[in-house]
Amino acid sequence: MESTAGRRRPISRRCALEARALTLPPLRRRRQDARTIRIISLAGGSVLALACALLVFLLQARRDGSMGGNAALEMALLSAGLTGSVALGVYAIGLRKPFIRQKRVENDLRRREEAFRTLSLFDELTGLPNRTLLADRVRRAIADGARTGTGCALMIVGLDDLAEVNDSFGHGARDALLCEAGMRLQCQLRAGETVARLGGDEFAVLLPGVRGPDDAELVARKLIDTLTARYLLDTHEVIVSADVGIALCPDDSVADDELFRFAGSALNHARRAGRTSVQFYVAQLTARSAARLELAAALHKAVRGGELELYFQPQIDLRDGSVASVEALLRWQRPGQGFFPPDQFIPIAEESNLIVDIGEWVLATACRDIVARNAMLDRPIAVSVNVSARQFIRHDFVATVERVLVANGCRPEWVKLEITERVLLQDNEDIAGTLDRLHALGLVISIDDFGTGYSALGYLNRFPVDEIKIDRSFVSDIPQDATKSELVKAILSMASALRLQVVAEGVETAAQVDCLKAHGCRFVQGYLFGAPMPGAALDEVLHPGRRELAATSSEPAIMERLLSDTTSPVR
């Protein structure tokens, strides 16, 4: 579909600035001057007409012979009147040119005021109504609904992936896509319905007289369908996704500001739920948003106050039962509340960009810890550190890693950096360059939760990956689930062909260990061998002369049998 964004001409900023610079007092003075010119012209015309009438009268009287001895005085008065009239006429004619000029100024001012009004009520890029005009129409719809007993729906539509479009094709392509999206939305609406641009990647749609949630959702689905069709930007085809948040009046609120806020909360929830989602506002969303804000503030305080700490979970070498490495896992102990689950505060840290500072602290603490432990071990072990996508794509990430290694005296081969498949999917030169530089330093690159995303042999072959970790969702049902057992077998076979090291996560039973070992898996991690533990507990396990893991499992009977069985893989 050809882009038609170029058909709309944006309102001139210069016009807006000039209109804003104009003030009311000069305009008032100009209007007063115009009234003065009109009064003078009217007076001059009246006097001239009176003088002409008097002249006619006197001439008629002289012709009739009725003029007396005061003829000279009368003629003098007549001459003076004619002279004054001519003077007033000339003066009015002389003022006519500035008067015309003044009218032109007023007309130009009126046009500029209209342009400024347009600029203040419509979006400059798309020409659609902006938030100010939309809010006025929302208030009217609420008032009309209260009078007629009908409702209205306010939708906020968010486009995804615009940052990637901007990075790949530039601001012009992004603006063209936004204009095209606005026109598509307009084409889907009926008379009386409004589409507006709120800014950034968000539009809003007002549906007056909507009959209920079903009708609103039907319209929302149509809008998503039209927005997710392909865009043609110059010679490039682009596809973006969209999400919709909906607030209903009077069900949710009869205040325009609350409808905007509730629809925005619904949109945020829809984006977290997944692409092309439609979410209606419910009261729990506001409470959830408030709780997230409170949690984000507490997390900032936790970083500064030293409330974060690292726990460690061992990774076992099945050949001899030794601890080959440990994974550093972040824990937050909130004062008075105990440990807070990481799956609840890590997403908050991602959204607030606090994950970058937390990630650097985790890396530095893990390096310092492993250096101290390896100093007491006969054979050094490695530590695995999870790296978020936001942290990894920063341009200074490699420099940060180098600085941390040097500051703590940590050898690069003692550190494994665990990244997700989502990072590899970006497949750009910056990601490849970062991975190459990290690999050149000697660090181990590990793919966490392998198999849960968009796994592809091409990524494993293209990037310098050393290790993959089979997600616990595959391991938990083996060997009972034949399908998952075959999947695990296929992953292990592929890794062997690519000469990649494999760690199986979530191992909790001896049967799982036997199945994994039978298919060639060498390293395992899970509660069977030890739950995540603080550093002091790990020190009791990793003291010199005893590298076997103590029976700290949640299944002590199984651990006791495995430790006593000389043929067991953990001996």
Side-chain angles (χ1 to χ4, degrees):
M1 182 180 295
E2 184 178 354
S3 175
T4 57
R7 297 178 184 174
R8 293 184 177 270
R9 299 182 61 186
I11 301 169
S12 170
R13 288 185 178 273
R14 177 186 174 189
C15 179
L17 294 175
E18 290 178 352
R20 195 177 286 122
L22 295 173
T23 55
L24 289 178
L27 176 60
R28 197 172 292 120
R29 285 195 296 271
R30 295 188 188 103
R31 290 174 178 172
Q32 291 174 352
D33 292 343
R35 284 196 297 270
T36 301
I37 293 173
R38 288 194 292 270
I39 292 172
I40 292 175
S41 301
L42 181 61
S46 300
V47 173
L48 182 60
L50 182 61
C52 291
L54 182 59
L55 176 62
V56 171
F57 173 76
L58 291 175
L59 290 175
Q60 184 66 32
R62 179 176 292 280
R63 186 179 299 112
D64 297 340
S66 58
M67 178 176 291
N70 295 326
L73 178 60
E74 292 173 355
M75 293 300 295
L77 290 174
L78 177 60
S79 177
L82 288 173
T83 303
S85 298
V86 171
L88 284 173
V90 171
Y91 180 65
I93 293 172
L95 288 178
R96 182 174 178 273
K97 187 174 183 179
F99 173 71
I100 294 174
R101 216 169 28 239
Q102 180 64 32
K103 291 293 291 182
R104 290 175 180 172
V105 170
E106 289 184 3
N107 291 336
D108 184 61
L109 178 62
R110 193 175 295 108
R111 285 193 299 269
R112 295 185 181 187
E113 287 177 342
E114 182 64 26
F116 176 67
R117 177 180 176 278
T118 301
L119 185 65
S120 64
L121 296 178
F122 292 88
D123 178 60
E124 183 178 2
L125 175 64
T126 63
L128 296 173
N130 61 12
R131 181 184 288 269
T132 302
L133 181 55
L134 177 65
D136 180 69
R137 294 184 180 180
V138 169
R139 287 189 288 269
R140 293 183 185 179
I142 293 173
D144 293 342
R147 185 174 60 255
T148 61
T150 59
C152 67
L154 178 63
M155 303 179 180
I156 297 184
V157 183
L159 297 178
D160 302 322
D161 307 316
L162 286 191
E164 286 76 5
V165 173
N166 185 72
D167 293 341
S168 301
F169 309 116
H171 292 285
R174 176 181 178 274
D175 291 346
L177 191 149
L178 285 170
C179 291
E180 178 69 22
M183 296 186 69
R184 291 185 183 185
L185 290 174
Q186 281 184 305
C187 293
Q188 294 296 320
L189 300 184
R190 300 173 297 183
E193 299 173 343
T194 301
V195 57
R197 182 173 179 236
L198 302 182
D201 59 1
E202 292 184 357
F203 294 86
V205 175
L206 173 63
L207 304 178
V210 69
R211 288 177 292 182
D214 293 340
D215 288 351
E217 183 174 5
L218 181 62
V219 174
R221 291 295 178 188
K222 288 172 57 180
L223 297 181
I224 288 178
D225 290 341
T226 190
L227 289 175
T228 53
R230 68 185 182 93
Y231 296 81
L232 183 60
L233 306 177
D234 293 331
T235 59
H236 304 285
E237 289 188 5
V238 176
I239 295 178
V240 298
S241 59
D243 306 288
V244 179
I246 306 175
L248 299 174
C249 172
D251 296 352
D252 298 325
S253 177
V254 293
D256 60 296
D257 56 339
E258 288 188 344
L259 286 177
F260 275 101
R261 181 159 54 90
F262 293 165
S265 297
L267 174 62
N268 293 334
H269 183 71
R271 281 178 158 166
R272 287 193 293 269
R275 294 174 181 268
T276 64
S277 297
V278 176
Q279 174 66 50
F280 284 89
Y281 171 78
V282 291
Q284 291 84 347
L285 293 181
T286 301
R288 194 177 306 167
S289 297
R292 291 175 72 87
L293 289 175
E294 180 184 356
L295 188 60
L299 187 56
H300 277 273
K301 182 180 177 182
V303 174
R304 297 191 302 269
E307 299 175 14
L308 301 179
E309 59 180 303
L310 289 185
Y311 271 45
F312 302 91
Q313 187 173 33
Q315 297 174 352
I316 306 301
D317 187 343
L318 291 180
R319 295 183 307 175
D320 56 10
S322 63
V323 178
S325 59
V326 293
E327 181 179 1
L329 301 169
L330 185 63
R331 294 293 184 267
W332 178 16
Q333 186 167 7
R334 298 187 67 180
Q337 300 187 34
F339 282 103
F340 202 76
D343 60 346
Q344 294 188 22
F345 72 82
I346 292 297
I348 301 293
E350 291 272 5
E351 293 177 4
S352 63
N353 208 32
L354 192 61
I355 193 65
V356 175
D357 295 332
I358 293 177
E360 184 172 346
W361 177 85
V362 169
L363 180 63
T365 304
C367 288
R368 184 167 56 252
D369 183 272
I370 204 64
V371 168
R373 287 199 168 87
N374 282 340
M376 300 183 297
L377 295 174
D378 298 332
R379 188 173 64 187
I381 63 174
V383 61
S384 296
V385 177
N386 291 278
V387 180
S388 72
R390 188 181 296 272
Q391 183 184 4
F392 187 85
I393 62 178
R394 287 175 61 95
H395 294 297
D396 61 347
F397 179 67
V398 177
T400 298
V401 172
E402 289 184 291
R403 185 180 69 253
V404 169
L405 292 176
V406 172
N408 293 280
C410 183
R411 299 179 62 175
E413 60 268 24
W414 293 350
V415 178
K416 298 181 181 180
L417 297 180
E418 294 189 8
I419 61 176
T420 62
E421 291 175 309
R422 187 161 67 97
V423 174
L424 299 183
L425 283 175
Q426 299 185 38
D427 192 17
N428 59 48
E429 295 181 359
D430 291 337
I431 297 296
T434 299
L435 288 170
D436 289 336
R437 292 170 61 191
L438 292 171
H439 193 265
L441 288 175
L443 291 98
V444 177
I445 306 299
S446 178
I447 306 302
D448 195 18
D449 300 331
F450 184 81
T452 59
Y454 300 89
S455 306
L457 296 178
Y459 294 120
L460 297 177
N461 188 45
R462 187 178 306 120
F463 298 116
V465 176
D466 303 292
E467 177 184 272
I468 60 175
K469 300 184 71 175
I470 303 178
D471 186 67
R472 65 182 65 249
S473 61
F474 293 97
V475 176
S476 60
D477 294 326
I478 64 170
Q480 297 86 355
D481 190 323
T483 301
K484 289 188 176 181
S485 296
E486 289 299 322
L487 285 174
V488 170
K489 180 180 178 181
I491 293 174
L492 290 169
S493 177
M494 173 201 67
S496 176
L498 295 176
R499 299 181 181 179
L500 298 176
Q501 185 170 289
V502 179
V503 178
E505 296 182 292
V507 178
E508 297 181 354
T509 67
Q512 293 170 352
V513 173
D514 294 337
C515 180
L516 290 167
K517 187 179 180 184
H519 294 314
C521 183
R522 177 178 172 183
F523 300 98
V524 293
Q525 173 183 349
Y527 276 72
L528 177 63
F529 306 101
M533 61 190 72
L538 184 62
D539 287 335
E540 296 178 1
V541 174
L542 299 177
H543 61 77
R546 183 171 181 258
R547 298 184 55 82
E548 291 84 359
L549 186 64
T552 58
S553 170
S554 58
E555 299 186 42
I558 295 178
M559 280 301 302
E560 182 179 356
R561 180 177 62 82
L562 291 173
L563 289 173
S564 62
D565 185 359
T566 57
T567 63
S568 170
V570 299
R571 288 296 299 170

